[in-house]
Amino acid sequence: MSGQDPVEIFRQEAQELFEVIEQGLLDLAHRPGDRDLVDAVFRGLHTLKGSGAMFGFDALAAFTHHCETAFDRVRKGEVAATSELVGAVLACQDHMRALAEGRSAEQAEGDALLAELHRVVASAGGAEAALAAAPAAASPISPDLNTWRVKFSLPADALVNGARPLPLLDELRELGDCTVAAITDKIPDLDALVATECHLAWDVTLVTKHGRDAIEDVFIFVIDDMTLEIQDLTAAPVEAVAEVVVEAAPVAQTTQAAAPVEAANEGRAAKTSGDTVRVPAERLDEMMDRVGELVIAQSRLKQLAASSSDIALRAVAEEIERLAAEMRDTMMVVRMVPIAQLFGRFRRLIHDLARDTGKSITLSTEGEATELDKTVIERLADPLIHLIRNSADHGLETPEQRRAAGKSETGHIVLAARQSGAEVVITITDDGRGVDRARVRAKAEENGLIQPGQVLSDNELLQLIFAPGFSTAAAITNLSGRGVGMDVVKKTIEGLRGAIEITSTPGHGSVVSLRIPLTLAIIDGLLVRVGSGRYVIPLSSVEECVELSVEQDVRSAGRSLITLRDQLVPFIRLRQMFKTGLAPDPHQKIVVVSTGGHERVGLVVDQILGDHQTVIKPLSSFHADVGAFSGATILGDGGVALILDIGSLVAAGQRHDAQMRAAS
């Protein structure tokens, strides 16, 4: 066995099962007659129950048993897969998730959920069962009793890994009359016997009305590693042959009859085929830290080689630089995960929001194959939840309002992702009423965020909705109204060194765009000098560099504007902002950076030192509130350079200009 905690392994697998069950339930709400979905949900519940029992999660197994039974009846055509049943099982799943994660789960709450589930099952078992009539025609249940011979054995280390044969035999007994005989041929002599190894096999004769699928489902969570033979004595007593043989290695030799088993376990097989390896996330973080240290060491070697005339040293330095760059790129790819695993969480959110708001809402996703650093994806979950809730609650109209506006009764939210250079752009689009600008202005003036009649650009007005405590909701509900959600969104996105843009068309909806860097670990930066200090500007923000001549500097004094290709670009003198106390370099440079959207700002520096592979180190808690910097990095000579936070710098510059204008 590996050194990993078996309970933690179970919890990881349980999370995957919960995702499969949840996606199946949400799809089933739209396609209640889809037999494959019903089977997928049942298999997920069955596996969860069995695995939970193996690892000692008895409460989880007992609770899941009720949901499994409910879906077993759906599978048999006795109960229709109504939206009410789907909702009841989804609610039960939240309780099961709490049990699996070891969180406190009230017994009374669980009892109430089960009571509701039983009520829904009872009500769905009447006339609505006709809906399931079609799939019932393909049900594995045989109208007459069949006799099956089931022979199975578990791998030698099954007991050590938590698999127990007795619950399997008990489940077979639940299917019908059962005669069990133990096969002891492979038990070794006493002196060679290892007490923890399983050497028994079982030969079971089962008389049941159930079909082969029901028998295979008994072994569904151990079937990859065991040997299983199922023989139909009723159908072919003379030519009976082993029809299902499933072993870990010779999967390719399974007969055609084993195809349903393979299909049912396609996902599991893919994960155990040897093509993929499950690695704890913290090991990737450790490896990324080592790569960061390697990049810093390589930078020091490069600097030493540049100051040396030794040709051999320079050649080695170049080779190390190439290898370090390849190692960095490879490590980046390893940490990338598709954003689909993030988007998939929001289908349940939309389902619950539609129920809570009484609105009809559909969710579409685009660009799910787009990849992001795993750390970034984890931190994006909360902001996206707030934005989607905001779109559903504030953006989309009620069905009556949409009808009156000539729209479809069903509101539509689109979640899309695409890569743009070193960034990923995530957009949340709704086809609702759009932002009420007059109401936003009135609320902002009421809260003192702006002065009455203050002139604002459309973008500045829309950005007010991200202010702390700002809300246009008339009343506080369980969904919105406290003015916290959008503030959280802004702080989180800025913490990721990203940017938010919002556009809105009255009557047609809104689009919120999040521009997020691909990774938070290592970035390409532009190293500059301001006074005696060195700073890094993220290269993804840099558009161009131009020289600020002495004449231009004198002419622009007091205006902080420069004309670039017939466009005025404001700039910030970093030397003044950082109060270096030194005279400016006679050949100052302006680094023009993008601040999101179409806005550009120039940063005046004394010298551009060149590009730099920047390993981002977080600031200490003492310096974390210094808004102009997002982190620090170690240079090749061992010195430290601060990484500029463009958004905070521009905001600080605007405040400084406003103070100067007010004082003049």
Side-chain angles (χ1 to χ4, degrees):
M1 287 185 68
S2 69
Q4 288 185 268
D5 182 2
V7 172
E8 190 57 36
I9 293 174
F10 164 72
R11 285 179 171 150
Q12 291 174 3
E13 294 184 352
Q15 289 304 318
E16 295 173 2
L17 287 171
F18 284 131
E19 289 178 12
V20 170
I21 294 169
E22 186 170 284
Q23 298 304 318
L25 288 170
L26 293 171
D27 287 336
L28 203 56
H30 300 286
R31 305 197 301 274
D34 192 323
R35 177 62 191 232
D36 291 338
L37 289 176
V38 172
D39 288 343
V41 172
F42 175 79
R43 281 195 297 270
L45 292 167
H46 185 80
T47 306
L48 182 65
K49 184 188 78 170
S51 300
M54 278 198 305
F55 286 92
F57 289 76
D58 295 334
L60 171 65
F63 189 89
T64 308
H65 174 74
H66 296 275
C67 298
E68 179 199 19
T69 303
F71 256 82
D72 191 29
R73 295 190 62 186
V74 174
R75 209 169 57 135
K76 295 172 182 173
E78 298 172 2
V79 172
T82 63
S83 58
E84 196 176 14
L85 176 61
V86 168
V89 179
L90 279 173
C92 288
Q93 185 186 253
D94 294 339
H95 190 75
M96 289 185 277
R97 199 186 289 270
L99 292 172
E101 293 173 356
R103 292 185 278 122
S104 60
E106 296 291 338
Q107 178 68 34
E109 180 185 348
D111 293 342
L113 289 170
L114 291 180
E116 174 64 11
L117 176 65
H118 293 151
R119 186 194 67 76
V120 171
V121 170
S123 62
E128 289 178 331
L131 291 174
S139 169
I141 301 172
S142 171
D144 301 315
L145 293 178
N146 288 330
T147 302
W148 299 88
R149 185 179 185 187
V150 182
K151 294 179 66 176
F152 71 94
S153 62
L154 300 175
D157 59 354
L159 300 177
V160 177
N161 290 330
R164 294 187 294 171
L166 292 182
L168 300 176
L169 294 170
D170 289 340
E171 288 196 47
L172 287 175
R173 291 189 180 98
E174 291 178 1
L175 297 178
D177 293 334
C178 222
T179 303
V180 179
I183 302 174
T184 59
D185 299 347
K186 295 186 179 179
I187 295 179
D189 295 335
L190 188 59
D191 54 351
L193 183 66
V194 179
T196 57
E197 293 185 351
C198 179
H199 300 287
L200 288 174
W202 289 267
D203 187 347
V204 181
T205 303
L206 174 64
V207 180
T208 177
K209 64 178 181 179
H210 295 277
R212 180 188 304 277
D213 287 353
I215 300 173
E216 291 171 352
D217 285 343
V218 170
F219 304 96
I220 195 167
F221 51 87
V222 292
I223 201 166
D224 287 340
D225 303 318
M226 67 179 297
T227 299
L228 173 65
E229 298 177 21
I230 302 176
Q231 184 177 340
D232 187 353
L233 299 180
T234 306
V238 178
E239 300 178 358
V241 293
E243 297 185 31
V244 178
V245 179
V246 181
E247 295 181 82
V251 174
Q253 298 177 3
T254 52
T255 64
Q256 188 174 357
V261 180
E262 293 177 348
N265 295 279
E266 185 177 352
R268 183 191 298 268
K271 294 170 185 172
T272 57
S273 61
D275 294 335
T276 58
V277 177
R278 189 192 296 267
V279 178
E282 57 268 23
R283 293 189 184 176
L284 292 182
D285 292 339
E286 291 173 7
M287 186 169 288
M288 193 68 216
D289 288 342
R290 299 296 178 273
V291 171
E293 298 301 323
L294 175 64
V295 170
I296 292 171
Q298 176 269 319
S299 178
R300 297 185 64 180
L301 177 61
K302 179 181 178 182
Q303 189 160 336
L304 289 173
S307 60
S308 170
S309 58
D310 189 334
I311 301 300
L313 176 61
R314 291 190 173 189
V316 171
E318 290 179 1
E319 184 67 10
I320 295 296
E321 182 178 6
R322 182 183 64 81
L323 292 173
E326 291 178 358
M327 175 72 79
R328 182 204 64 176
D329 293 343
T330 302
M331 195 60 221
M332 294 287 192
V333 172
V334 170
R335 289 172 59 91
M336 291 292 180
V337 294
I339 205 166
Q341 62 179 247
L342 176 64
F343 283 2
R345 305 178 191 177
F346 302 122
R347 296 187 61 204
R348 171 69 184 279
L349 177 65
I350 289 293
H351 175 273
D352 293 346
L353 287 171
R355 180 197 59 204
D356 295 343
T357 61
K359 299 175 182 176
S360 177
I361 308 173
T362 61
L363 174 70
S364 299
T365 56
E366 299 172 2
E368 292 178 292
T370 306
E371 294 186 329
L372 259 177
D373 187 287
K374 72 171 190 64
T375 305
V376 177
I377 282 193
E378 290 165 3
R379 293 173 62 181
L380 276 176
D382 282 348
L384 288 179
I385 287 174
H386 287 299
L387 289 171
I388 292 173
R389 286 164 65 105
N390 200 64
S391 293
D393 195 28
H394 292 301
L396 297 182
E397 311 93 331
T398 63
E400 297 76 17
Q401 292 170 332
R402 293 182 66 86
R403 262 200 316 274
K407 298 180 180 178
S408 162
E409 290 188 4
T410 300
H412 195 194
I413 295 177
V414 180
L415 202 51
R418 62 181 171 83
Q419 185 171 344
S420 175
E423 296 179 325
V424 166
V425 181
I426 300 173
T427 58
I428 303 93
T429 307
D430 69 68
D431 63 348
R433 58 172 67 90
V435 176
D436 186 342
R437 290 171 170 78
R439 188 169 178 79
V440 170
R441 171 175 280 279
K443 201 71 178 180
E445 291 179 354
E446 179 185 328
N447 292 348
L449 294 175
I450 60 174
Q451 297 299 317
Q454 182 176 338
V455 177
L456 297 174
S457 67
D458 190 57
N459 182 53
E460 290 172 334
L461 182 66
L462 293 176
Q463 288 288 333
L464 288 173
I465 66 175
F466 296 105
F470 186 87
S471 174
T472 58
I476 295 175
T477 68
N478 62 336
L479 293 180
S480 60
R482 299 186 185 278
V484 176
M486 301 304 273
D487 180 32
V488 170
V489 171
K490 184 177 182 182
K491 287 184 177 176
T492 305
I493 299 304
E494 288 179 348
L496 291 169
R497 295 186 290 104
I500 309 174
E501 301 164 17
I502 179 170
T503 59
S504 183
T505 305
H508 292 84
S510 305
V511 180
V512 179
S513 302
L514 311 178
R515 306 184 73 88
I516 309 295
L518 279 172
T519 179
L520 302 179
I522 301 177
I523 60 170
D524 290 321
L526 185 67
L527 188 64
V528 300
R529 179 178 65 80
V530 179
S532 59
R534 289 171 291 180
Y535 303 89
V536 173
I537 302 174
L539 204 55
S540 59
S541 300
V542 177
E543 293 197 349
E544 61 180 310
C545 299
V546 296
E547 184 157 348
L548 178 65
S549 64
V550 177
E551 294 76 16
Q552 286 176 313
D553 193 14
V554 171
R555 284 201 304 270
S556 63
R559 294 190 297 117
S560 299
L561 290 169
I562 188 172
T563 303
L564 287 178
R565 289 183 289 279
D566 299 329
Q567 288 188 346
L568 286 175
V569 176
F571 61 78
I572 300 170
R573 289 182 171 83
L574 296 183
R575 185 170 40 79
Q576 293 181 357
M577 179 170 283
F578 297 159
K579 299 178 180 176
T580 62
L582 301 175
D585 191 277
H587 304 288
Q588 293 182 94
K589 305 293 188 298
I590 297 179
V591 180
V592 180
V593 298
S594 169
T595 60
H598 302 290
E599 297 182 359
R600 300 194 302 166
V601 171
L603 303 176
V604 179
V605 302
D606 287 320
Q607 185 181 4
I608 295 176
L609 301 175
D611 64 317
H612 184 262
Q613 292 291 314
T614 305
V615 181
I616 301 175
K617 301 290 184 183
L619 296 175
S620 68
S621 56
F622 182 73
H623 300 92
D625 294 333
V626 181
F629 310 109
S630 59
T633 190
I634 301 174
L635 302 176
D637 61 0
V640 175
L642 294 170
I643 303 168
L644 300 184
D645 183 337
I646 303 300
S648 298
L649 265 181
V650 172
Q654 290 171 339
R655 287 196 299 272
H656 180 263
D657 282 354
Q659 292 170 359
M660 295 294 290
R661 284 196 299 270
S664 60

